[in-house]
């Protein structure tokens, strides 16, 4: 009990003063300075417990509690950035696959291919830079099932099968190589490796080559949410 009260007293002091020297100065009176005529000496006497108007706190205790409080503050701030998918009751395989990859994609790794119909009943498809969308959108609505993740004209690629509108855009993580004779390629900017999604169109059905590229994998997702969904995961070997 006494130890807890002691820690509380130290915590109060630590949160009140930025540095240990500031705390020592608060314990020095004008009378002390008048007689001692030396601020450094006055601080040393307070630290030793010979002078002071309040609690005696050792330097190591002050600095240890200061560090602990800062760690707790940073941890609390980090908790506010908890994964959006955390604690969600996810039923569909697609949402589960996104949840598993959410943390890794804070730094950019996965490309999502989706083919389905939009709100107008038009068939659309495209490739999504998962990390880029995570940074620019609130995925709460997707993980809560309030909306479905669909390709946009601002994604890596977007195609409207009825309007025959094709758009592609590079993102902070991937550079689009659209003029490749064998099909669309994405270059991961961090390690400059090529992700080969190379779709083979057969009446809107798609088949992929055996290898999407170095350090990359292709995972077809069995889902009831979309006509087709595939996730390409890229593992960067470059040290950052």
């Amino acid at each position: 009990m006494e130890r807890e009260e002691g820690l509380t007293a130290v915590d109060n002091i630590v949160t009140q003063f930025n540095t240990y020297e500031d705390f020592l100065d608060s314990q020095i009176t004008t009378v002390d300075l008048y007689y001692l005529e030396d601020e450094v000496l006055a601080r040393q006497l307070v630290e030793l417990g010979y002078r002071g108007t309040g609690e005696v706190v050792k330097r190591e205790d002050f600095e240890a509690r200061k560090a602990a409080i800062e760690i707790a503050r940073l941890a609390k701030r980090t908790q506010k950035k908890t994964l959006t998918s955390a604690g969600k009751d996810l039923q569909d395989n697609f949402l589960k696959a996104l949840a598993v990859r959410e943390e890794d994609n804070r730094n950019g790794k996965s490309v999502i291919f989706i083919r389905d119909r939009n709100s107008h009943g038009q068939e659309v498809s495209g490739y999504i830079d998962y990390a880029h969308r995570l940074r620019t959108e609130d995925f709460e609505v997707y993980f809560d099932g309030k909306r479905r993740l669909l390709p946009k004209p601002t994604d890596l690629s977007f195609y409207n099968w009825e309007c025959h509108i094709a758009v592609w855009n590079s993102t902070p993580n991937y550079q689009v190589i659209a003029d490749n004779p064998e099909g669309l390629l994405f270059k991961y900017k961090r390690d400059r490796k090529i992700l080969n999604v190379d779709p083979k169109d057969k009446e809107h059905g798609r088949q992929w080559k055996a290898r999407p590229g170095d350090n990359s994998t292709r995972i077809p997702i069995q889902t009831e949410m979309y006509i087709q969904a595939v996730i390409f995961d890229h593992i960067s070997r470059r040290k950052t």
Side-chain angles (χ1 to χ4, degrees):
M1 186 67 180
E2 292 181 358
R3 183 175 182 276
E4 291 180 358
E5 292 177 353
L7 287 176
T8 301
V10 174
D11 286 349
N12 290 336
I13 292 170
V14 166
T15 54
Q16 185 178 355
F17 300 100
N18 290 326
T19 66
Y20 186 64
E21 283 68 27
D22 289 341
F23 163 67
L24 295 178
D25 290 345
S26 73
Q27 302 293 298
I28 300 172
T29 66
T30 54
V31 176
D32 291 333
L33 289 176
Y34 177 80
Y35 284 106
L36 295 173
E37 298 182 344
D38 188 332
E39 185 178 31
V40 175
L41 177 59
R43 285 177 175 175
Q44 290 175 344
L45 291 175
V46 172
E47 188 170 354
L48 292 172
Y50 295 118
R51 286 287 187 277
T53 59
E55 186 79 18
V56 176
V57 179
K58 295 181 179 179
R59 180 182 296 272
E60 54 265 31
D61 291 338
F62 181 95
E63 293 178 348
R65 292 305 298 162
K66 193 76 171 177
I69 289 173
E70 178 64 11
I71 291 172
R73 185 187 69 82
L74 293 175
K76 186 176 181 180
R77 188 174 69 178
T78 301
Q79 287 176 356
K80 293 181 180 179
K81 298 181 180 179
T82 301
L83 298 178
T84 310
S85 59
K88 305 291 185 188
D89 183 17
L90 306 175
Q91 300 297 322
D92 190 84
N93 291 334
F94 179 77
L95 293 180
K96 291 177 181 179
L98 292 191
V100 168
R101 293 164 172 80
E102 184 183 359
E103 184 171 8
D104 284 344
N105 276 277
R106 294 299 176 181
N107 297 317
K109 297 206 173 189
S110 301
V111 171
I112 305 166
F113 171 77
I114 290 176
R115 180 168 65 93
D116 206 77
R117 296 190 180 276
N118 61 19
S119 58
H120 301 292
Q122 300 169 329
E123 186 173 330
V124 297
S125 63
Y127 294 92
I128 299 169
D129 179 344
Y130 185 21
H132 184 52
R133 288 281 286 265
L134 276 172
R135 283 195 294 269
T136 57
E137 286 187 40
D138 183 2
F139 264 62
E140 192 86 28
V141 292
Y142 300 127
F143 286 119
D144 282 341
K146 296 178 181 178
R147 288 173 54 191
R148 289 185 311 135
L149 180 68
L150 284 173
K152 296 180 177 181
T154 54
D155 282 316
L156 282 170
S157 78
F158 172 85
Y159 187 68
N160 186 308
W161 290 89
E162 294 192 22
C163 301
H164 302 290
I165 297 175
V167 184
W168 51 83
N169 311 275
S170 294
T171 68
N173 301 308
Y174 285 95
Q175 175 187 343
V176 177
I177 303 174
D179 56 357
N180 178 55
E182 293 190 7
L184 197 61
L185 301 175
F186 302 126
K187 180 189 288 186
Y188 189 55
K189 292 181 178 180
R190 187 168 298 176
D191 61 10
R192 305 182 66 81
K193 296 290 186 180
I194 298 296
L195 178 62
N196 186 357
V197 293
D198 189 33
K200 299 295 184 182
D201 190 3
K202 294 183 180 180
E203 295 297 324
H204 295 188
R206 290 173 178 250
Q207 296 178 348
W208 278 268
K209 286 184 174 181
R211 287 175 55 83
D214 292 341
N215 307 331
S216 298
T217 57
R218 179 191 307 106
I219 311 294
I221 307 298
Q222 298 297 319
T223 172
E224 296 180 1
M225 295 179 61
Y226 303 99
I227 295 173
Q228 191 170 15
V230 178
I231 297 180
F232 296 84
D233 292 322
H234 181 73
I235 301 174
S236 175
R237 302 298 185 185
R238 182 174 180 178
K239 295 181 179 180
T240 55

